[in-house]
Amino acid sequence: MASNKGETSLGDAPREEHGYPLILVALLVASLIISAAFLLRDSGVVPGHPMDQSFASAADLSIRHTGGHWTFQYPSLQSSGGITSTLIAGVYKLIIPTSKATLNWHIRILAMVMYLGSSWWLVRSLVASASGRILAYLVICISGFQFLQPSSDLFAGAFFSLALIGLRRGWPPVLTALLLAVFGLTKVEMIAAAVVIAVLWGIREHHLGRRHPAQLTWFTCGWLLLFLAPGLLLQGASPAGADRSMLAFITAYTDFFSRHQFGGFHGTIDIATMKSVRETQFPGAKNLLDIITRYPGLYADFLGMSTARSLPNLIHAGKLMLIPLGLVIVQNQRLSSLRPYLFILLAASAFTLIPAWLIIFVKIRYVAKLFPAIVAIAVGGCIELSATNRLATRILWACGLGTLLWEAWFLQDMWQYSHFR
């Protein structure tokens, strides 16, 4: 990620700040209002366990004195909300009065506002032209990702976008590192993505000859340790909690292969069925590593099925915007300033989606956290490429308009089945 002649200092902030039409503000306000109206049409009750959105009701940061002891429940990194989303929900409930009948509205609207607001800001930061900004934000807000549950995916997307904005605009490393760490703590597998992003940025800073190039990496690791420390210090609390990878794998394996049996499957998968599959297919395996090493043939079959499930979801999530993104990737050497952010997006995609493919499969909602960056970099990159490649603009607008039509067709589906996408 060496520097290019077109790069600027202080995070390569975009030069064309005058491209800020009133219509973009109107789009933001309208999208927030319309999205909130859709969310209020849904139930305000948080779904119970095992639905992942249940983290919102389980979050409890109150300090109690019971049985002569002070107790405090710190979030587990392995829970459905991770540390970040559980802390957000817990703090929100301490400040804002809520009830069981309305809590889900509060958390989902908060997540939606953060997701769309950060996406809007990211588009302003990475896309130079006014028309490109409008196209990019329309693609993001009509995608319906803001309706998804669990809200933890939206919180992750918001903090990833904010971290990219911080890098682009040259915010103090301690602040950008905080955003990266909070992104990393949304799910256990995100920690590696946050650290890798910080390391990649440090390598870039070193190539540019900047002072203290490793600042972002050290600050990111420091923030991660700071947030993980309470779980290590408090009695009965663990920053990681129970290992969910084995449960997730067995659930997916049972779902995949039970559907292909000629008999004995009645369309439901319960704990007894999964226990039977684990004991008969993987006897003696105590964790996922045991399955991979002791039953490589069965695991290879699983990866094939996971791939068959994941690829359609990736296409459905990215839609036609994958085409201009592919063009930007192929011609990345011609990018004047967006190349570092493209590498960061690719690294984040690898470290967040590959683990899902290896353990379960890539669901549409897993792409939500990356989608604003995908769109902004695809649009901004094609606009940069248009200086030397006129076809880039045509591809961008053809795919952008096609994506809008595709999204509009499935928008109600994204809202109505927000738990299952």
Side-chain angles (χ1 to χ4, degrees):
M1 294 189 301
S3 62
N4 294 303
K5 292 182 179 180
E7 291 182 337
T8 62
S9 60
L10 292 177
D12 304 329
R15 298 188 180 98
E16 194 178 337
E17 288 296 334
H18 62 273
Y20 183 61
L22 184 61
I23 189 172
L24 197 60
V25 180
L27 282 175
L28 174 64
V29 174
S31 65
L32 295 178
I33 294 173
I34 295 171
S35 297
F38 269 90
L39 292 175
L40 289 173
R41 292 175 59 190
D42 208 342
S43 173
V45 179
V46 176
H49 184 77
M51 303 301 286
D52 286 344
Q53 185 69 5
S54 62
F55 82 86
S57 59
D60 184 3
L61 299 183
S62 58
I63 301 175
R64 294 185 175 88
H65 187 264
T66 56
H69 300 282
W70 291 99
T71 60
F72 175 66
Q73 181 182 348
Y74 194 74
S76 167
L77 187 57
Q78 288 277 7
S79 69
S80 61
I83 290 179
T84 296
S85 303
T86 306
L87 285 178
I88 291 174
V91 171
Y92 187 92
K93 290 194 290 186
L94 290 177
I95 299 173
I96 307 296
T98 61
S99 67
K100 289 184 178 180
T102 63
L103 178 59
N104 211 32
W105 288 336
H106 284 262
I107 300 302
R108 292 183 69 189
I109 289 176
L110 173 64
M112 176 272 295
V113 171
M114 289 180 61
Y115 185 76
L116 291 182
S118 61
S119 299
W120 182 85
W121 198 356
L122 182 67
V123 166
R124 277 200 59 206
S125 299
L126 297 184
V127 181
S129 73
S131 58
R133 291 172 176 176
I134 293 171
L135 174 65
Y137 186 69
L138 281 174
V139 169
I140 293 169
C141 67
I142 297 179
S143 68
F145 280 142
Q146 67 268 31
F147 303 133
L148 291 176
Q149 299 183 78
S151 300
S152 54
D153 288 304
L154 301 185
F155 288 132
F159 286 112
F160 181 58
S161 294
L162 289 172
L164 286 178
I165 295 167
L167 294 174
R168 176 71 162 173
R169 295 184 174 273
W171 291 353
V174 65
L175 175 58
T176 306
L178 173 61
L179 296 170
L180 271 179
V182 173
F183 161 69
L185 292 168
T186 52
K187 290 286 177 66
V188 63
E189 65 269 19
M190 304 296 179
I191 289 182
V195 174
V196 167
I197 290 170
V199 170
L200 287 176
W201 193 259
I203 293 172
R204 173 184 180 274
E205 294 289 277
H206 176 74
H207 282 311
L208 291 176
R210 304 279 170 81
R211 295 181 60 187
H212 311 297
Q215 263 191 336
L216 186 68
T217 304
W218 292 118
F219 279 132
T220 301
C221 293
W223 282 117
L224 288 171
L225 291 174
L226 182 64
F227 280 104
L228 290 170
L232 296 171
L233 297 175
L234 293 174
Q235 183 180 0
S238 168
D243 181 15
R244 299 178 65 208
S245 60
M246 184 66 165
L247 176 61
F249 172 81
I250 292 297
T251 303
Y253 187 91
T254 306
D255 177 47
F256 289 172
F257 293 98
S258 293
R259 298 176 185 276
H260 293 271
Q261 304 306 310
F262 291 105
F265 178 65
H266 304 289
T268 59
I269 299 175
D270 52 25
I271 295 177
T273 303
M274 290 188 292
K275 182 179 179 180
S276 175
V277 169
R278 178 174 178 175
E279 292 174 350
T280 56
Q281 298 295 104
F282 310 103
K286 297 179 180 179
N287 50 52
L288 186 59
L289 182 60
D290 282 348
I291 290 177
I292 296 173
T293 55
R294 297 175 61 179
Y295 303 97
L298 293 178
Y299 184 68
D301 292 340
F302 170 83
L303 288 182
M305 188 70 78
S306 176
T307 302
R309 290 286 188 94
S310 299
L311 287 178
N313 286 341
L314 286 172
I315 294 171
H316 189 21
K319 298 181 173 61
L320 297 179
M321 293 307 295
L322 296 177
I323 297 175
L325 178 65
L327 177 63
V328 171
I329 293 173
V330 170
Q331 300 189 358
N332 71 86
Q333 295 285 349
R334 300 184 182 182
L335 296 179
S336 59
S337 65
L338 290 184
R339 193 167 178 239
Y341 311 99
L342 173 63
F343 278 95
I344 287 174
L345 172 62
L346 295 177
S349 301
F351 280 87
T352 57
L353 299 181
I354 291 178
W357 168 61
L358 295 176
I359 297 174
I360 177 170
F361 67 98
V362 179
K363 300 180 180 180
I364 291 176
R365 63 181 174 87
Y366 294 169
V367 185
K369 64 182 71 68
L370 306 167
F371 190 68
I374 289 173
V375 174
I377 291 173
V379 174
C382 281
I383 291 173
E384 284 194 12
L385 292 177
S386 64
T388 56
N389 183 358
R390 294 183 180 180
L391 189 60
T393 303
R394 298 177 184 176
I395 291 175
L396 170 63
W397 281 96
C399 293
L401 295 176
T403 297
L404 289 175
L405 293 175
W406 189 341
E407 289 177 336
W409 181 263
F410 284 99
L411 184 59
Q412 183 174 354
D413 178 85
M414 292 291 289
W415 165 69
Q416 189 172 357
Y417 301 103
S418 58
H419 283 292
F420 310 104
R421 292 292 173 258

